[in-house]
């Protein structure tokens, strides 16, 4: 039994925050942002809306085209670091709004690797035969935890969502073929949001100290990201008897174009083999991979039997890869 992707959807808010807009907020410039990150603009969700709004839009795009209806969904996993509220999960909001009456589900915090973690997790429920399908979503409203006075972070992040429908298949050679996942708490000090949890509950003091915003030591995270994404990608390819030249597409986490280029170089990939959309969206955390995958699918990039490798790195540190043989 294999888990195969049978439907894809994505959503990006209409409101754009361009590099020129950011020049008015912090000491930065369009050229620096483009050269150092590859980003030109990012989408920003309406202040009054939560992450579930984007996740729902991405999920509904799937159901508009799928033979499976929300009532038939058995499991919802939402990868996010920006749920609508601490309790209950944003997966609850999605279940309610979709009318997915037969499912259970939860939010998963894997930082920027969240979607890769979620896809691997859901695949196991399907491969064991326990469930016929699962809705796996990556969505983040990063604009709600970004300090728009901090040029180290505000130029990078944006809001967005992507979703896939996973279904059971008896074909053994297509679908999710393998994955490799990692976690190392060495990253806690380099990428975090310290306020608002049980250790530092929200108080006037935590807010004054801006502890509810993302802190990132970009240089250090950059080095670990390149190392982690390269090693996990090579490991998954190697143990499946593949190398970079066998891959049809790499869909990397879109954190920085220079990280993507370094991974592509290590795997000896041509530009045509790498899906990149960071210029338009920036780093949408758990959403980057499903958003890029859905957009590329919409552009008819993938063919049946294509080898597709997903690779991500994020807060924790977390990192991981999923190897897919395209099934639709
Ligand atoms: O998705 C989760 C994982 N996250 C990542 O993978 C992100 C990894 N890190 C990065 O993408 C990069 O480290 C950043 C984009 C965050 C920063 O780029 P960098 O090339 O590492 O820049 P830097 O921090 O080393 O700074 C280089 C220079 C410094 O000036 P000096 O000291 O050389 O004079 C900074 O002060 O650029 C300056 N700088 C900026 N200048 C204009 C830093 N941020 C900016 C800015 N605009 N926004």
């Amino acid at each position: 039994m294999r888990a195969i992707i049978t439907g894809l959807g994505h959503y990006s808010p209409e409101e754009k925050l361009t590099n020129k807009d950011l020049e008015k907020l912090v000491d930065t410039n369009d050229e620096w942002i483009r050269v150092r990150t590859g980003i030109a603009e990012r989408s920003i969700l309406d202040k009054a809306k939560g992450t579930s709004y984007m996740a729902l839009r991405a999920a509904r795009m799937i159901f508009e085209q799928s033979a499976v209806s929300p009532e038939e969904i058995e499991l919802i996993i939402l990868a996010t670091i920006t749920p609508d509220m601490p309790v209950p999960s944003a997966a609850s909001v999605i279940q309610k709004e979709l009318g997915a009456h037969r499912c259970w589900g939860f939010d998963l915090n894997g930082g920027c690797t969240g979607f890769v973690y979620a896809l691997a997790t859901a695949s196991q429920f399907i491969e064991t035969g326990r469930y016929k399908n699962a809705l796996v979503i990556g969505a983040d409203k990063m604009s709600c935890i970004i300090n728009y006075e901090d040029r180290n972070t505000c130029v990078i992040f944006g809001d967005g969502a992507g979703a896939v429908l996973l279904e059971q298949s008896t074909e053994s050679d297509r679908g999710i073929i393998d994955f490799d996942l990692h976690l190392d708490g060495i990253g806690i000090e380099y990428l975090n949001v310290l306020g608002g949890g049980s250790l530092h509950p929200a108080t006037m003091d935590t807010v004054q100290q801006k502890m509810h915003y993302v802190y990132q030591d970009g240089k250090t995270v950059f080095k670990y990201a390149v190392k982690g994404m390269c090693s996990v990608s090579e490991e998954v390819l190697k143990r499946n008897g593949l190398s970079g030249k066998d891959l049809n597409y790499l869909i990397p986490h879109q954190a920085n174009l220079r990280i993507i280029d370094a991974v592509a170089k290590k795997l000896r990939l041509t530009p045509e083999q790498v899906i990149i959309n960071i210029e338009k969206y920036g780093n949408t955390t758990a959403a980057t991979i499903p958003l890029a995958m859905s957009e590329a699918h919409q552009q008819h990039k993938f063919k049946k039997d294509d080898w597709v490798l997903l690779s991500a790195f994020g807060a924790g540190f977390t990192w991981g890869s999923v190897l897919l043989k395209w099934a639709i």
Side-chain angles (χ1 to χ4, degrees):
M1 209 85 83
R2 288 271 183 209
I4 61 170
I5 293 175
T6 59
L8 298 98
H10 62 276
Y11 175 73
S12 172
E14 274 154 35
E15 191 189 328
K16 298 286 176 197
L17 182 67
T18 65
N19 293 349
K20 286 276 168 215
D21 295 331
L22 284 163
E23 284 179 6
K24 293 174 207 143
L25 299 176
V26 289
D27 179 16
T28 192
N29 60 78
D30 179 51
E31 198 202 340
W32 190 96
I33 302 172
R34 282 177 193 268
V35 171
R36 307 294 277 207
T37 72
I39 302 166
E41 59 183 22
R42 11 25 237 117
S43 293
I44 302 295
L45 184 66
D46 187 312
K47 273 203 167 55
K49 296 188 170 88
T51 293
S52 68
Y53 175 85
M54 297 187 291
L56 274 163
R57 292 286 297 256
R60 287 195 169 117
M61 186 171 155
I62 294 176
F63 293 115
E64 277 163 20
Q65 297 157 20
S66 175
V68 177
S69 68
E71 296 81 46
E72 294 169 277
I73 294 297
E74 294 177 305
L75 168 63
I76 296 174
I77 307 181
L78 172 67
T80 189
I81 63 165
T82 52
D84 293 18
M85 50 203 137
V87 180
S89 69
S92 316
V93 182
I94 293 163
Q95 179 280 327
K96 181 168 176 270
E97 293 299 320
L98 285 178
H101 301 300
R102 286 184 53 200
C103 77
W104 70 291
F106 57 94
D107 292 356
L108 184 158
N109 180 342
C112 295
T113 316
F115 180 79
V116 166
Y117 271 22
L119 195 61
T121 304
S123 75
Q124 297 308 286
F125 284 101
I126 290 175
E127 284 178 23
T128 56
R130 189 68 178 81
Y131 297 118
K132 286 197 298 295
N133 63 49
L135 181 61
V136 183
I137 310 172
D140 269 304
K141 182 186 175 185
M142 294 306 291
S143 59
C144 73
I145 53 169
I146 291 301
N147 177 1
Y148 286 95
E149 292 175 352
D150 177 9
R151 70 176 184 172
N152 292 308
T153 51
C154 73
V155 300
I156 309 168
F157 292 99
D159 303 339
V164 300
L165 176 63
L166 270 190
E167 288 190 80
Q168 208 174 63
S169 164
T170 48
E171 288 179 30
S172 62
D173 60 342
R174 294 195 187 100
I176 295 182
I177 304 300
D178 198 5
F179 56 80
D180 194 33
L181 308 170
H182 298 269
L183 176 66
D184 187 342
I186 195 170
I188 297 167
E189 65 180 286
Y190 303 117
L191 181 50
N192 56 49
V193 178
L194 292 179
S198 57
L199 188 60
H200 302 290
T203 60
M204 291 289 280
D205 192 43
T206 63
V207 173
Q208 265 159 13
Q209 289 188 51
K210 303 187 194 310
M211 288 166 71
H212 53 298
Y213 289 133
V214 171
Y215 164 80
Q216 175 170 257
D217 172 348
K219 247 188 190 1
T220 305
V221 177
F222 189 101
K223 285 182 202 147
Y224 277 98
V226 172
K227 198 165 152 238
M229 284 172 67
C230 285
S231 67
V232 79
S233 302
E234 285 181 318
E235 170 62 24
V236 171
L237 288 176
K238 191 172 143 211
R239 71 186 188 206
N240 287 277
L242 302 170
S243 71
K245 68 176 177 345
D246 301 304
L247 270 187
N248 296 91
Y249 291 103
L250 169 74
I251 310 180
H253 170 51
Q254 317 273 317
N256 187 316
L257 187 58
R258 290 184 295 134
I259 295 176
I260 297 174
D261 286 345
V263 177
K265 193 172 165 203
K266 188 86 204 301
L267 298 181
R268 296 169 192 258
L269 304 179
T270 62
E272 294 71 34
Q273 286 172 287
V274 190
I275 306 274
I276 300 173
N277 65 5
I278 191 170
E279 188 181 5
K280 288 189 291 178
Y281 304 115
N283 182 350
T284 55
T285 303
T288 65
I289 289 179
L291 175 57
M293 183 158 49
S294 174
E295 205 175 50
H297 173 65
Q298 202 176 41
Q299 294 159 359
H300 307 289
K301 281 214 159 103
F302 308 125
K303 294 187 305 297
K304 204 173 197 164
D305 289 330
D306 274 356
W307 283 113
V308 178
L309 186 70
L310 317 181
S311 197
F313 186 92
F317 292 133
T318 56
W319 66 106
S321 271
V322 171
L323 179 67
L324 302 165
K325 197 163 208 199
W326 204 251
I328 50 173

